[in-house]
């Protein structure tokens, strides 16, 4: 079974939701039969690479709230993250474009290090002091820590077209599936779970999706009479 997760590194609920989903997956009896793939979704797709601002400034401008309200929201998120065992800085974080990070996540997928890099980006953005938005070398450092080669990472960052199509394809697919926000979880293209749901909700979704997988339907008669190859060899035509 495949679980696809659309998320953004700038999304605190994606950070929390990933932890909750992974708790449900760890307790799932068939977890070894579940493939998890992370998909790209930008909350602020039009933001320029160099446009970096404090999170509180972004929140007050985007949602029309006071700075005190924005800070209260950050404090609440910090408590929610702590409940999942996650570190979360509620003060002095910043906000910027995540497009390059999504491109690197596609590189990491090719190298089998996608989940590790996503965790590194989440920690870098939400838990550590040094910004992930104002210095490419910070991204290189995080990527190397997740198991990627520094020169390969720098080459992708230097080429704005590298993996750009893959990011945009993920975002178009999210729209086609009806995802208007993240995190958005899709189980076997049959079930969707929106938001950072409680662990119990993810557990029920995994159980339901696994139990209702449709068996393979053969359309050629399925009687085994057609010529084919198998472990014991191939059928030999007889004249």
């Amino acid at each position: 079974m495949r679980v696809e997760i659309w998320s953004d590194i700038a999304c605190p609920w994606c950070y929390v939701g990933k932890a909750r989903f992974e708790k449900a997956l760890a307790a799932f009896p068939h977890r070894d039969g579940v493939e998890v793939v992370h998909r790209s979704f930008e909350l602020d797709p039009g933001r320029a690479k160099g446009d970096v601002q404090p999170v509180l400034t972004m929140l007050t401008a985007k949602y029309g709230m006071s700075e005190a309200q924005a800070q209260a929201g950050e404090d609440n998120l910090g408590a929610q993250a702590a409940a999942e065992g996650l570190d979360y800085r509620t003060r002095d974080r910043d906000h910027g474009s995540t497009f390059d990070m999504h491109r690197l996540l596609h590189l990491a997928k090719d190298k089998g290090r996608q989940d590790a890099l996503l965790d590194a980006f989440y920690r870098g953005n939400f838990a550590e002091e040094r910004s992930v938005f104002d210095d490419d070398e910070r991204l290189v450092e995080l990527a190397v820590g997740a198991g990627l080669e520094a020169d390969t990472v720098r080459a992708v960052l230097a080429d704005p077209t590298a993996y750009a199509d893959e990011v945009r394809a993920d975002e178009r697919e999210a729209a086609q599936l009806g995802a208007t926000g993240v995190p958005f979880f899709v189980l076997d293209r049959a079930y969707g779970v929106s938001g950072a749901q409680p662990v119990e909700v993810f557990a029920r979704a995994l159980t339901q999706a696994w139990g209702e997988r449709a068996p393979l339907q053969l359309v050629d008669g399925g009687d085994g009479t057609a010529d084919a190859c198998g472990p014991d060899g191939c059928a030999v035509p007889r004249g």
Side-chain angles (χ1 to χ4, degrees):
M1 182 170 72
R2 170 179 283 199
V3 178
E4 297 162 278
I5 307 174
W6 274 263
S7 59
D8 191 13
I9 301 94
C11 167
W13 288 119
C14 296
Y15 181 44
V16 172
K18 184 176 188 290
R20 291 176 178 171
F21 171 78
E22 287 176 346
K23 287 181 179 179
L25 183 61
F28 185 55
H30 309 289
R31 61 188 178 276
D32 291 340
V34 178
E35 176 192 13
V36 178
V37 178
H38 297 284
R39 303 291 192 190
S40 299
F41 189 107
E42 293 172 276
L43 292 173
D44 203 352
R47 183 175 287 269
K49 180 173 180 175
D51 184 5
V52 181
Q53 63 183 155
V55 165
L56 292 189
T57 301
M58 179 274 292
L59 291 173
T60 56
K62 187 171 184 177
Y63 299 107
M65 60 177 65
S66 69
E67 187 169 314
Q69 289 172 320
Q71 186 59 66
E74 282 292 285
D75 291 340
N76 176 59
L77 281 163
Q80 298 270 359
E84 305 304 332
L86 301 172
D87 292 329
Y88 189 101
R89 294 176 63 239
T90 60
R91 301 291 190 278
D92 302 322
R93 289 194 306 105
D94 58 9
H95 176 77
S97 170
T98 58
F99 184 61
D100 280 352
M101 284 181 273
H102 283 295
R103 295 195 299 117
L104 290 177
L105 284 167
H106 277 280
L107 166 68
K109 181 175 180 289
D110 285 349
K111 304 296 184 181
R113 305 300 301 166
Q114 188 185 44
D115 192 70
L117 183 57
L118 183 57
D119 281 342
F121 283 159
Y122 277 147
R123 287 194 306 271
N125 185 36
F126 292 110
E128 299 174 1
E129 289 190 16
R130 187 176 168 194
S131 174
V132 297
F133 298 108
D134 63 358
D135 183 5
D136 280 356
E137 283 303 303
R138 173 62 168 151
L139 301 184
V140 173
E141 174 189 290
L142 292 169
V144 169
L148 298 178
E149 295 289 336
D151 288 346
T152 304
V153 174
R154 290 191 182 100
V156 169
L157 290 171
D159 178 3
T161 67
Y163 294 102
D165 288 345
E166 287 83 346
V167 174
R168 298 308 183 207
D170 277 357
E171 293 173 338
R172 286 193 300 271
E173 197 163 11
Q176 291 166 2
L177 290 169
T180 58
V182 285
F184 188 70
F185 302 77
V186 177
L187 292 77
D188 254 5
R189 290 299 171 107
Y191 298 93
V193 178
S194 180
Q197 298 286 348
V199 174
E200 296 77 16
V201 173
F202 288 123
R204 288 199 301 271
L206 286 166
T207 298
Q208 184 173 357
W210 185 272
E212 296 185 10
R213 290 175 303 152
L216 184 67
Q217 299 293 319
L218 294 175
V219 298
D220 62 352
D223 57 7
T225 59
D227 292 335
C229 294
D232 297 325
C234 298
V236 178
R238 298 182 181 278

